[in-house]
Amino acid sequence: MNFDDYRGVWVFSEVKDGGIAPVSLELLGAARQLADKRKTHVAGVLIGEEVKHLADTLFAYGADTVYVYDAPIFRHYRTETFMQAMLHCTNKHKPEILLYGATSTGKDLASAVATDLPTGLTADTTILDVEEDTGLLLASRPAFGGNIMATILCKKYRPQMATVRPKVMKALPPDPQRTGEIVEESIDLKEEDVRTKVLEIVRATVKKVRIDEADIIVAGGKGLGSPEGFGLIHRLAQTIGAAVGASRDVVEAGWIEHHHQVGQTGVTVTPKIYFAIGISGAIQHIVGMQNSGLIVAINKDPAAPIFQSSHYGIVGDAFEIVPMLIERFKSEPV
Ligand code: FAD
């Protein structure tokens, strides 16, 4: 394998609800930094039906080149079709680095592509850097239960691939004047050759709380004692129009669904305000909320580790303090 054949930092540009998924825009910002260090280009790979116009968004956020696979066969995400397009593009244009958002689509696609390419994949990366002279990607992620950060290298193969969690990288401010090169590609794939068919898409009927997009999160932990006690978290959240977050122990106890879980094995969040109530502050929780704008902790144990990661700490019983906060916020809305 001749490493000199592999150039550029690429981002799989996921299409969501007719636009580019926010994580892909964040990754273009990260890709731009890596590419500038390597003095190379940034490219987006855009796969879908009637998606070519979205290339402008990718240019605005930092791409120099966009490879487009635009055909009815790509109308819905299917592992098989998207994987074939990615393999075709990667084998033909040979990127040095290839990044995917760690969404359900990105994780599925990256791992499928990694089974075919003779290379590795670092999953759930939170820090990216590159060695200027060798082009070696330094992909770091929490390991051993979050107690250490492991930096994973792929020294012998190209491309180097990583999935990156949403909300950890920063998108560049968009520049609508930026333009780039569109490279239209296609693959010879017939619908009858694809083993999976999308018959219907059924949207979840339960209104899912998007904690990863909320400005304010009220998160509760095991200190609330019971599902009824956890109701206090819902009441405070409702009063101030916040989303509800939770520690893993609360999710495992079945007090709330997993998509509310904040932390290493949950969602990474960066709200403007994060309330951590009855949460001890284990490292696995902290890594998911430490970049919040303002962190307010309420815990009856003055030695609880959560206070070390908080801007404001209230030492006391949640069952006394939270009702007071609710009353106060009702009379003086935030
Ligand atoms: P506890 O640790 O039991 O803390 C309860 C806190 O409430 C205590 O600090 C106590 O002082 C306080 N308290 C008690 N009563 C009151 C009261 N009346 N008023 C105020 N305070 C009170 N955890 C996550 O959250 N997210 C993850 O993604 C995650 N991933 C993990 C991945 C791995 C591989 C491992 C090993 C663990 C992971 N964990 C995760 C679990 C994590 O290590 C902790 O066990 C968990 O975060 C603890 O939850 P907690 O703070 O709600 O409960």
Side-chain angles (χ1 to χ4, degrees):
M1 182 172 273
N2 183 1
F3 282 13
D4 292 339
D5 294 343
Y6 291 80
R7 299 295 294 158
V9 183
W10 287 15
V11 174
F12 164 64
S13 306
E14 190 174 332
V15 177
K16 196 177 155 205
D17 300 329
I20 301 291
V23 65
S24 303
L25 304 178
E26 294 157 20
L27 286 188
L28 285 172
R32 192 68 264 168
Q33 285 187 356
L34 300 176
D36 289 350
K37 256 183 140 174
R38 282 292 285 157
K39 300 188 177 48
T40 186
H41 68 278
V42 171
V45 185
L46 192 53
I47 308 171
E49 185 186 31
E50 292 180 14
V51 291
K52 190 177 151 192
H53 65 284
L54 297 175
D56 288 342
T57 308
L58 302 179
F59 294 139
Y61 280 88
D64 303 306
T65 306
V66 177
Y67 299 105
V68 183
Y69 291 78
D70 198 325
I73 202 157
F74 301 123
R75 182 185 174 86
H76 298 296
Y77 174 75
R78 285 178 290 177
T79 314
E80 220 174 338
T81 53
F82 274 54
M83 172 191 176
Q84 291 306 333
M86 281 306 280
L87 288 172
H88 175 263
C89 204
T90 309
N91 288 323
K92 186 169 173 187
H93 299 287
K94 297 188 174 17
E96 187 170 49
I97 293 170
L98 176 47
L99 307 174
Y100 305 77
T103 58
S104 39
T105 298
K107 287 195 254 192
D108 182 68
L109 180 61
S111 46
V113 170
T115 58
D116 203 277
L117 290 179
T119 192
L121 169 68
T122 305
D124 262 344
T125 311
T126 53
I127 304 172
L128 290 171
D129 201 356
V130 69
E131 280 184 9
E132 254 173 83
D133 45 347
T134 61
L136 198 57
L137 180 69
L138 312 173
S140 304
R141 52 155 299 157
F144 294 107
N147 290 323
I148 62 158
M149 289 298 284
T151 300
I152 297 167
L153 314 176
C154 178
K155 285 186 167 175
K156 295 188 179 161
Y157 301 99
R158 294 290 181 271
Q160 305 165 89
M161 301 209 299
T163 61
V164 183
R165 281 190 170 205
K167 295 263 182 184
V168 291
M169 302 294 160
K170 268 210 156 45
L172 297 170
D175 174 1
Q177 309 302 328
R178 265 190 107 253
T179 55
E181 183 194 11
I182 294 182
V183 181
E184 293 190 58
E185 292 285 3
S186 62
I187 48 172
D188 187 19
L189 195 61
K190 293 185 185 59
E191 189 57 54
E192 50 272 28
D193 299 330
V194 184
R195 283 167 294 184
T196 47
K197 312 277 173 228
V198 177
L199 301 180
E200 191 187 357
I201 294 186
V202 183
R203 301 243 172 231
T205 46
V206 191
K207 195 169 165 269
K208 194 171 162 185
V209 189
R210 300 283 317 199
I211 56 168
D212 55 342
E213 288 171 4
D215 278 343
I216 310 177
I217 295 175
V218 178
K222 220 43 199 307
L224 277 308
S226 65
E228 293 70 37
F230 197 81
L232 205 52
I233 299 296
H234 288 286
R235 278 177 47 214
L236 175 57
Q238 212 170 11
T239 308
I240 57 176
V244 173
S247 69
R248 187 172 87 164
D249 288 20
V250 162
V251 172
E252 284 187 342
W255 301 355
I256 196 163
E257 298 91 339
H258 179 259
H259 61 259
H260 294 268
Q261 184 183 317
V262 173
Q264 185 190 324
T265 43
V267 184
T268 303
V269 295
T270 49
K272 291 183 183 147
I273 308 175
Y274 188 88
F275 288 92
I277 303 172
I279 292 179
S280 58
I283 181 70
Q284 296 89 355
H285 189 83
I286 299 296
V287 293
M289 45 64 87
Q290 61 194 352
N291 293 328
S292 304
L294 183 78
I295 300 171
V296 182
I298 303 172
N299 197 302
K300 69 178 185 186
D301 175 7
I306 189 73
F307 288 126
Q308 280 160 31
S309 304
S310 311
H311 301 97
Y312 292 102
I314 303 173
V315 178
D317 187 340
F319 293 99
E320 285 174 24
I321 294 160
V322 177
M324 287 196 276
L325 286 177
I326 293 172
E327 285 316 307
R328 188 64 186 258
F329 285 133
K330 271 186 182 160
S331 55
E332 284 176 44
V334 278

